[in-house]
Amino acid sequence: MRVFSFVALTVLSFTSFCYAAGPVVLVKHQEQYNGYMKLPRLSEVVTTVNTVPALYWPAARLYKTDPESVNALELQRQELLKVLANLKQAYLLDDEAELAASTEALSQDVKNWVLAEQLFLALDPDKVRAKPALNPILRAGQYLLQVENRSETITVAGFAQNTEVQFINAADASDYFAGIKPLAGASSSFLYILPAAQQVIQAKIGLWNSQRQDVPAGAILYVPFEQRNLPSEFENLNQQVIELLQHRVVL
Amino acid sequence: MPKYAAIFYSVAFLSLAGCSNTVRTYTDTLKLAFNPGEGATLTKEQLADRKADALYATVGTLPRAQLALAYIEHGQYKWISADNAFLVLEHGRLVKTTGFDNDLLFVTGTDKDPLKQPMTKIQPGQQWQGATDWAVHQETGYKISYEIADIRVDKIELLDRQFDTKLVTELVTFSNGETAVNLFWFDLSSGLLLKSQQHIAPFWPAVELIHISSAARLMGIAKSGSRK
Amino acid sequence: MKKLYLSTVITALLSPVSFAETNQPSPNTYSQMTQGGVGLIQMPTARHNEAGSFSLNYQDSEEYRFWSASLQLFPWMETTVRYTDVRTQLYSEDPTFSGDQTYKDKGIDVKFRLWQESEFLPQISAGFRDFGGTGLFESEFIAASKRVGPFDFHLGIGWGYLGSKGNIDNPFCDIRDSFCERPGGFSGSGGKIDYQKFFKGPAALYGGIEYQTPWAPLLLKLEYDGNNYQQDKAGVLLQDSDYNLAAVYRLNDAFDLNVNYQRGNTFGFGVNYKLNFNTVKQIKLDPPAKEIPVVLPTATDSLDKAELRRDLYLNAGFLVNNYVLKDEEIVLKGRQIAYRDEAESINRVGRVLANHLPEQIKTYRIVTISGDMPMVETVINAEQFISAARYETPDADVKTSYQRVEPEVQNENWAVERDETGFGYSAELFWIQTFGNPESFYMYQGGLFLGGVYQFNTNFSLQSTAKINLLTNFDQFNFKVDSQNTGVPRVRTYIREYVTRSDVTMENLYGHWKDELADNWYGQVYAGYLETMYGGVGGELLYKPIDSTLAVGLDLNYVRQRSYEKELAFFDYKTFTGHLSFYWKPQFLDDTMITASFGQYLAKDKGVTIDFAKRFDSGIVVGAYGAFTDMSAAEYGEGSFTKGFYVSIPFDLFSLKSATGRGRIPWVPISRDGGQMLNKPVSLNGLTEDRAPFVR
């Protein structure tokens, strides 16, 4: 009796597999793939990988990696690179070689970013399971779920030589800035913090405006260009970089 | 005498529109403030019938709430309240909350927690350090250190029965220098944690937890391990 | 057993108006100066707090006591109102009038941000202190502030009281001779803005340093005073030192305490209560909004109508007046009584409906009524709503599933046969208060308004309100009418007679007719005893399109003054009064409503009343108004023209359950017989608030 039903089940699932021609949602986590034949709720996806207590969910990021999503970001990247090239030209015309070099350095950096569409959703399984509003059904497609142990480093992007700094306990954004080697033209008044799945935070770190702002583990720090160094037609440059940086897959 | 008239017609109406419905809203609010409920108490029968384990939680001076065991995942016991807030315990220690005003997101270094050991091996002088991460203002990495200061035998009464317990007194030091005392009562015969009083931050009131289902199980009135 | 809402109750009881406590002290707000408003001790700075910041202050410094309230109305504008108690002077020389009460004065300050601080440039502000009054502290200033680490440096130029030291030449004096001398006295009968004095006469340079100590709660201040205290209301004050010192201790997020040492010889202290009108909120213990079941009911036959209405009332705060269930849609008529946020209201109503109605009901039409007139219809696409409410996509938002439209409910086949004829009643609390009276600084009267109504049909009714005083100290009044006889009809200044005649009075008794005359047009007519002081007939017409930024109303009334001696009697005074009113929400100022009413007032003066109201995110509304008429300041008397302020506070900021009611606290510094409008028993603009919500 048991055997029969087992066989029946296998056949059934096999047929449905053939019919659907593969899972509708495929989630990659730490080089493993989890497929879902039916559109899953977020809680199913996050609990599946929640196997050890050391996973640090506050820094978890969920990316949609389908070609459509990635292509849209690729266009955005090309736009940004064009802007940066123009800015560099403008600096060269003004004999601002150092600023042009900084712009070029950021360009190179942006070219190397791995991009995927970050979804701004709370991912902690305990939060997601407790509240229906935090537990939506995901759209069909391919995803990348990044959740690791609490990171010992903070990623740095923008007008800085460093690509990362050591995580510091209970530190203010300005403590991190002290460990960053800024490129020429970088702001010494502001630092942007990009926590996982949250809005960007503008930290005030200058002598004239400093205000306490902690940096969460797993965040990305963006060192912006000092606003007064930007010609007026490039005044939104920092915002443009941040918009793209939100969708950078930090490896 | 111009001054005489100065504040003359400043008679002004403070009108309270909204009438009976509003009055009722206020009465309800006052009732809640002065009598937020009697606090949870389960009878032995209720404990025997329960599908999920129960935990009493008292925060500060509030009446105690009753939580249900929702998940056991990789050594973490996750207790849920009636309003879907979670208290997550690891070896009896509160290591995470969700649904509160300022949630504890994570405690690092719990692998060195002496409470991980069998009850008999917990000794004075054992210590460890961790760091806590909080939800509000992205506060991350606030140090907290623990040292077991005292061990003694104590009796506690639960469900009308006296339990002989090992009382572990732990000294907690927070990053701002403030200190607090944590207490853990383990059943002497089984080593199960029956009760604790814990502090997770200087700004969080003391949390008292009573593992009432464990007590019931030791008394033979509840079935073994169960969750929601 | 009673369920205990663990997390919410904890939060609620720990901090009634909640702040999340954290490891780090919360960002500091700039502290208040002695007279209220952000500043050093006596001297104002260029600093502004965040928009919505409110501070209630008490400050004691020997000769003076100050009660003040300061509000950051916009990021670039701070306003302060203040009562001053001059300890060395009597209220009046006449002890039968004011006993041994000391001198009281009112003042208003305003400060504008002109330039924001950047890395190398300072913040710059200009301000006006105690303008438009008897002007004890009348001054103007321009100040600059620059921060370097824990130090905040300030430099300013003061004119008037702040500049009385005269340690520099008035820079404007070089440009125009008229700026060299400051005109004396005040114009009209006080209470007017004396533009002709601004930035004139002696000027003084002042400055100061604030130091944020490493210990977060403690802030130190040092200032160089621009005042020489030779012309103070309190008398000449001895100045042993040009420097004043202060220490501010931040007790917590809500309270600042300060002590200061002024003029080298005087100690002072004060306390400030801080709140932010944008962010203040209250924990709510409302029932959770309904979740939508996986399987919807299959047919309308099984619909339990009583339960549907009960759920709508208890879970969605929606009081159903009537409904009609059709093949593919439901039309609900009623009003929201608990959830003042529209999105919350519609979300809850939609969820309750989805719990009770089968899938073939494709549209939920929710008609909000006010006084039985349909105001607005919210059309919910049920399928989209349910999908979003089940969170079927990561970016699900129920707000995209509905829209507000003109109600289309002329000939519906309503399910319930309603008898529109009948009696109704209501009860409302009231509290009348007045500050700074000669008899006693604070005077009050509290009690109940009991309302009765007989409705003939949805349009026509007979209404009456009785006022019952329960608590009052108005018996301390030692005169009922002021002695200022300027020849202007006493249309409002008999107020003390009216409020003290009897503990039970008939506030109003009138017949009332109202209707929606055409799309967007509303009308009302009323006749009878209309308010405390007037009876007569009147009508109003209002044009108010849905969600429009402009509404226009016209009211015309013929009224006669009621007697304060006999309940039903009238005095001889009669007049036409009426106004053409524009209610405008300008797009360039967020959450702001400007009302301009042109017409003839009760004392037959003609002019305009301008009312400016700003709504903060918490729902608190703060407003100011002034009436500018052809009555001269001399005729008007003390104060020169009618003006006032008000704060309207949603009740549920103080309760653990949501509610839609509001309380309005007015502050009328001076108000006499000019620029006085009739208090219409019903305001059409208020009645039709739902068509284009401002207050919410």
Side-chain angles (χ1 to χ4, degrees):
Chain A
M1 196 59 194
R2 246 183 200 180
V3 174
F4 279 110
S5 71
F6 177 69
V7 171
L9 260 177
T10 321
V11 173
L12 200 67
S13 71
F14 183 69
T15 47
S16 76
F17 185 81
C18 289
Y19 180 73
V24 283
V25 163
L26 191 65
V27 180
K28 183 182 172 195
H29 173 248
Q30 294 179 336
E31 303 309 317
Q32 291 200 9
Y33 290 87
N34 292 304
Y36 299 85
M37 306 308 278
K38 178 174 154 269
L39 291 178
R41 289 232 172 235
L42 182 58
S43 59
E44 300 169 51
V45 172
V46 290
T47 45
T48 309
V49 305
N50 190 26
T51 48
V52 286
L55 286 181
Y56 191 71
W57 286 98
R61 285 181 162 91
L62 181 64
Y63 299 94
K64 201 154 185 294
T65 52
D66 313 74
E68 315 82 273
S69 318
V70 175
N71 289 344
L73 291 164
E74 197 52 55
L75 286 178
Q76 211 177 319
R77 174 178 7 221
Q78 296 313 321
E79 276 302 305
L80 177 61
L81 288 173
K82 235 180 269 170
V83 172
L84 288 171
N86 292 342
L87 179 61
K88 183 184 163 188
Q89 275 310 308
Y91 283 141
L92 287 174
L93 286 174
D94 282 354
D95 261 354
E96 296 275 13
E98 281 194 319
L99 296 182
S102 298
T103 313
E104 177 57 32
L106 179 64
S107 261
Q108 291 307 322
D109 205 11
V110 170
K111 272 179 203 159
N112 292 326
W113 289 353
V114 178
L115 296 173
E117 183 194 355
Q118 193 191 175
L119 301 183
F120 292 86
L121 299 172
L123 297 173
D124 183 336
D126 296 332
K127 279 193 194 168
V128 167
R129 285 181 295 198
K131 268 202 160 173
L134 298 179
N135 192 12
I137 295 178
L138 294 181
R139 290 211 165 84
Q142 295 163 31
Y143 293 83
L144 168 66
L145 176 58
Q146 275 205 330
V147 52
E148 311 289 335
N149 293 359
R150 189 166 175 272
S151 170
E152 287 304 311
T153 56
I154 296 275
T155 305
V156 177
F159 296 90
Q161 290 176 30
N162 323 40
T163 53
E164 61 177 39
V165 285
Q166 282 300 305
F167 171 79
I168 316 168
N169 271 329
D172 179 31
S174 60
D175 299 334
Y176 284 97
F177 190 69
I180 288 172
K181 291 187 208 85
L183 296 177
S187 169
S188 52
S189 304
F190 298 100
L191 196 57
Y192 289 87
I193 303 171
L194 284 70
Q198 281 180 48
Q199 290 304 306
V200 179
I201 300 161
Q202 188 196 50
K204 297 171 177 173
I205 54 165
L207 207 51
W208 62 281
N209 68 344
S210 71
Q211 221 174 60
R212 171 88 199 184
Q213 174 60 59
D214 281 43
V215 177
I220 300 174
L221 291 180
Y222 171 67
V223 181
F225 227 28
E226 170 55 49
Q227 202 64 36
R228 69 171 174 274
N229 289 334
L230 290 171
S232 60
E233 63 268 40
F234 299 96
E235 62 182 10
N236 291 325
L237 178 78
N238 287 320
Q239 281 66 36
Q240 272 175 286
V241 179
I242 289 166
E243 267 171 44
L244 194 63
L245 188 53
Q246 285 282 32
H247 302 290
R248 174 181 169 191
V249 181
V250 184
L251 302 166
Chain B
M1 294 185 290
K3 200 68 218 166
Y4 280 31
I7 307 141
F8 194 53
Y9 178 60
S10 51
V11 172
F13 279 82
L14 174 74
S15 70
L16 304 174
C19 58
S20 54
N21 190 46
T22 310
V23 174
R24 210 195 53 226
T25 305
Y26 275 98
T27 343
D28 286 354
T29 299
L30 288 174
K31 268 191 215 151
L32 270 162
F34 289 107
N35 177 21
E38 306 90 58
T41 314
L42 289 165
T43 62
K44 288 176 192 166
E45 292 71 37
Q46 285 169 325
L47 282 164
D49 291 346
R50 280 180 68 90
K51 286 206 185 79
D53 271 16
L55 176 79
Y56 294 155
T58 313
V59 179
T61 55
L62 288 164
R64 73 184 180 201
Q66 174 197 316
L67 279 65
L69 183 57
Y71 308 100
I72 307 173
E73 285 170 335
H74 37 72
Q76 292 188 331
Y77 284 66
K78 304 186 174 181
W79 301 86
I80 192 165
S81 72
D83 55 344
N84 288 343
F86 269 109
L87 294 181
V88 178
L89 306 184
E90 217 172 295
H91 304 288
R93 188 182 299 283
L94 184 51
V95 294
K96 180 178 176 182
T97 68
T98 71
F100 290 82
D101 216 13
N102 189 2
D103 278 318
L104 173 59
L105 299 176
F106 199 79
V107 183
T108 65
T110 48
D111 51 327
K112 293 175 227 99
D113 189 346
L115 297 188
K116 274 186 80 172
Q117 316 169 89
M119 179 263 283
T120 49
K121 293 197 173 162
I122 302 175
Q123 287 167 26
Q126 292 176 340
Q127 52 179 293
W128 68 290
Q129 280 201 350
T132 55
D133 299 345
W134 297 90
V136 174
H137 299 326
Q138 294 78 32
E139 290 186 341
T140 307
Y142 286 78
K143 281 212 173 106
I144 185 163
S145 45
Y146 304 87
E147 178 172 1
I148 291 171
D150 184 52
I151 303 280
R152 69 176 66 177
V153 175
D154 192 27
K155 287 184 194 311
I156 58 170
E157 197 184 295
L158 294 171
L159 298 167
D160 305 321
R161 188 184 130 176
Q162 282 224 332
F163 288 88
D164 289 324
T165 60
K166 171 171 174 168
L167 168 59
V168 176
T169 305
E170 183 184 62
L171 189 69
V172 191
T173 310
F174 299 111
S175 61
N176 66 355
E178 280 183 47
T179 58
V181 169
N182 284 353
L183 303 171
F184 298 88
W185 287 265
F186 294 89
D187 177 55
L188 264 185
S189 51
S190 65
L192 282 178
L193 180 66
L194 291 178
K195 182 178 166 181
S196 66
Q197 272 176 19
Q198 309 185 33
H199 298 80
I200 56 172
F203 52 86
W204 255 74
V207 181
E208 183 182 277
L209 303 171
I210 295 174
H211 297 256
I212 195 69
S213 287
S214 296
R217 204 165 296 127
L218 289 173
M219 290 166 66
I221 52 179
K223 285 163 272 170
S224 56
S226 51
R227 64 191 164 104
K228 203 176 168 181
Chain C
M1 198 194 57
K2 202 167 170 179
K3 271 190 184 175
L4 184 66
Y5 290 90
L6 184 68
S7 58
T8 36
V9 169
I10 288 167
T11 319
L13 297 189
L14 287 184
S15 46
V17 176
S18 77
F19 300 100
E21 287 198 76
T22 63
N23 292 287
Q24 291 292 333
S26 55
N28 293 320
T29 51
Y30 292 110
S31 62
Q32 301 277 304
M33 60 183 156
T34 298
Q35 306 206 358
V38 169
L40 288 153
I41 303 152
Q42 288 284 339
M43 301 289 127
T45 64
R47 296 298 180 197
H48 287 257
N49 273 321
E50 265 175 44
S53 296
F54 174 76
S55 184
L56 201 61
N57 314 308
Y58 171 73
Q59 198 75 33
D60 186 315
S61 52
E62 196 68 35
E63 295 84 2
Y64 293 107
R65 285 177 187 170
F66 299 104
W67 291 268
S68 62
S70 185
L71 173 65
Q72 190 73 36
L73 208 53
F74 296 101
W76 43 267
M77 181 185 183
E78 178 196 65
T79 52
T80 305
V81 294
R82 170 179 54 252
Y83 269 101
T84 305
D85 177 11
V86 185
R87 307 281 299 147
T88 56
Q89 310 288 322
L90 282 177
Y91 195 100
S92 73
E93 287 99 73
D94 181 357
T96 61
F97 175 68
S98 56
D100 57 0
Q101 204 186 144
T102 49
Y103 188 86
K104 302 294 188 300
D105 188 63
K106 298 175 291 284
I108 302 167
D109 308 343
V110 62
K111 179 163 87 178
F112 299 99
R113 187 183 70 199
L114 306 179
W115 184 266
Q116 268 186 283
E117 186 179 10
S118 58
E119 197 169 354
F120 301 113
L121 294 173
Q123 173 139 319
I124 297 172
S125 294
F128 304 86
R129 179 184 285 189
D130 206 0
F131 64 91
T134 39
L136 297 194
F137 306 106
E138 189 184 62
S139 333
E140 303 81 49
F141 62 88
I142 296 171
S145 299
K146 185 83 195 80
R147 182 179 150 197
V148 181
F151 296 97
D152 205 6
F153 297 96
H154 311 285
L155 191 67
I157 304 176
W159 289 263
Y161 183 78
L162 284 173
S164 55
K165 188 172 270 166
N167 60 11
I168 54 162
D169 293 331
N170 185 346
F172 296 119
C173 177
D174 297 339
I175 304 165
R176 256 183 102 126
D177 283 348
S178 66
F179 279 90
C180 301
E181 287 289 326
R182 195 173 180 90
F186 48 80
S187 62
S189 309
K192 280 190 128 174
I193 299 176
D194 290 322
Y195 307 100
Q196 77 285 357
K197 289 161 86 174
F198 285 173
F199 300 108
K200 290 180 179 169
L205 208 58
Y206 68 87
I209 303 171
E210 286 175 271
Y211 171 56
Q212 171 58 56
T213 65
W215 186 46
L218 184 66
L219 175 78
L220 301 176
K221 297 176 174 184
L222 167 73
E223 73 177 5
Y224 173 76
D225 205 324
N227 191 353
N228 59 7
Y229 301 94
Q230 294 298 303
Q231 291 133 30
D232 262 65
K233 177 71 184 174
V236 174
L237 305 181
L238 194 64
Q239 192 175 29
D240 290 330
S241 165
D242 290 333
Y243 294 91
N244 305 324
L245 302 162
V248 179
Y249 174 71
R250 299 185 180 103
L251 188 63
N252 52 37
D253 282 332
F255 286 97
D256 281 358
L257 307 173
N258 71 73
V259 290
N260 57 55
Y261 185 60
Q262 300 185 37
R263 306 189 301 275
N265 54 26
T266 306
F267 280 102
F269 65 91
V271 56
N272 316 98
Y273 173 69
K274 300 174 289 180
L275 198 67
N276 189 305
F277 282 180
N278 275 328
T279 56
V280 61
K281 61 171 187 187
Q282 177 59 272
I283 293 298
K284 289 285 175 273
L285 296 183
D286 295 321
K290 294 252 187 233
E291 293 301 338
I292 296 173
V294 180
V295 182
L296 295 182
T298 45
T300 48
D301 315 339
S302 55
L303 175 65
D304 183 340
K305 287 151 190 159
E307 200 189 324
L308 172 61
R309 289 172 76 130
R310 197 163 50 239
D311 278 353
L312 281 169
Y313 178 72
L314 292 176
N315 192 276
F318 193 79
L319 196 59
V320 179
N321 169 283
N322 218 326
Y323 70 95
V324 47
L325 190 59
K326 302 179 188 173
D327 289 345
E328 293 202 337
E329 65 176 29
I330 185 170
V331 187
L332 268 185
K333 198 164 72 159
R335 61 198 173 91
Q336 177 56 249
I337 56 160
Y339 300 98
R340 58 192 166 93
D341 179 60
E342 199 205 3
E344 170 91 35
S345 163
I346 298 298
N347 183 32
R348 284 176 175 264
V349 171
R351 284 166 178 269
V352 169
L353 291 175
N355 267 274
H356 287 274
L357 298 172
E359 215 164 329
Q360 69 256 30
I361 306 294
K362 298 271 186 256
T363 311
Y364 306 153
R365 294 169 53 197
I366 299 154
V367 179
T368 302
I369 56 169
S370 176
D372 285 321
M373 295 187 292
M375 289 292 127
V376 60
E377 178 173 324
T378 307
V379 182
I380 305 178
N381 177 323
E383 204 180 335
Q384 285 173 20
F385 177 88
I386 290 168
S387 167
R390 283 177 175 156
Y391 308 103
E392 288 178 354
T393 57
D395 41 16
D397 183 2
V398 294
K399 279 182 227 161
T400 58
S401 70
Y402 59 81
Q403 51 182 336
R404 286 160 58 90
V405 300
E406 189 70 36
E408 296 293 344
V409 282
Q410 296 314 321
N411 301 305
E412 300 292 351
N413 194 8
W414 297 110
V416 182
E417 191 81 25
R418 283 181 72 94
D419 185 6
E420 305 295 354
T421 318
F423 283 101
Y425 62 91
S426 68
E428 236 178 75
L429 296 168
F430 74 87
W431 187 254
I432 306 172
Q433 55 182 359
T434 148
F435 295 96
N437 315 278
E439 294 89 350
S440 174
F441 183 72
Y442 185 65
M443 301 194 74
Y444 58 87
Q445 187 177 61
L448 276 175
F449 281 128
L450 292 181
V453 56
Y454 183 80
Q455 192 160 306
F456 297 95
N457 54 46
T458 51
N459 303 114
F460 188 58
S461 62
L462 193 63
Q463 310 209 15
S464 182
T465 308
K467 175 176 170 242
I468 299 164
N469 300 334
L470 299 174
L471 205 65
T472 182
N473 67 353
F474 281 1
D475 51 358
Q476 290 178 26
F477 283 152
N478 54 23
F479 66 98
K480 297 281 176 65
V481 183
D482 64 284
S483 53
Q484 276 188 290
N485 289 308
T486 59
V488 171
R490 287 197 173 273
V491 297
R492 286 292 184 203
T493 43
Y494 288 130
I495 172 83
R496 288 187 166 199
E497 299 278 9
Y498 288 98
V499 297
T500 55
R501 183 173 63 81
S502 165
D503 278 340
V504 180
T505 50
M506 183 262 289
E507 184 74 7
N508 58 38
L509 170 63
Y510 59 96
H512 185 248
W513 174 90
K514 61 173 190 312
D515 203 359
E516 182 178 357
L517 306 171
D519 276 1
N520 303 324
W521 287 92
Y522 296 83
Q524 67 166 342
V525 176
Y526 40 83
Y529 296 90
L530 301 177
E531 53 139 300
T532 322
M533 302 184 213
Y534 290 88
V537 295
E540 186 182 9
L541 202 59
L542 178 76
Y543 173 74
K544 193 171 191 178
I546 274 198
D547 293 329
S548 123
T549 54
L550 182 70
V552 184
L554 175 70
D555 69 282
L556 291 170
N557 312 275
Y558 183 68
V559 294
R560 185 170 174 182
Q561 192 166 26
R562 288 177 66 182
S563 163
Y564 51 73
E565 289 152 343
K566 282 197 197 126
E567 191 77 84
L568 299 174
F570 285 96
F571 288 141
D572 287 337
Y573 184 73
K574 303 178 197 102
T575 184
F576 268 111
T577 179
H579 286 84
L580 177 64
S581 299
F582 298 88
Y583 308 90
W584 181 41
K585 287 178 279 185
Q587 271 149 349
F588 54 86
L589 282 177
D590 284 345
D591 292 324
T592 301
M593 165 102 97
I594 296 169
T595 307
S597 302
F598 301 85
Q600 173 161 305
Y601 295 84
L602 286 169
K604 296 176 186 164
D605 47 334
K606 295 173 190 65
V608 57
T609 297
I610 307 279
D611 180 302
F612 177 95
K614 160 83 186 161
R615 181 189 187 277
F616 293 93
D617 295 348
S618 63
I620 293 175
V621 173
V622 176
Y625 61 88
F628 310 95
T629 76
D630 58 359
M631 186 184 286
S632 73
E635 284 175 306
Y636 187 92
E638 173 81 18
S640 301
F641 67 102
T642 287
K643 54 191 166 294
F645 304 87
Y646 55 88
V647 182
S648 161
I649 301 171
F651 278 136
D652 69 357
L653 278 187
F654 304 101
S655 71
L656 295 177
K657 286 204 169 166
S658 290
T660 48
R662 292 184 153 262
R664 182 171 157 123
I665 306 170
W667 186 61
V668 188
I670 212 125
S671 179
R672 291 184 50 80
D673 296 314
Q676 291 291 351
M677 284 183 173
L678 176 74
N679 294 325
K680 287 172 296 193
V682 176
S683 149
L684 272 188
N685 189 53
L687 192 69
T688 57
E689 166 75 13
D690 289 323
R691 285 187 64 80
F694 166 67
V695 174
R696 285 164 289 170

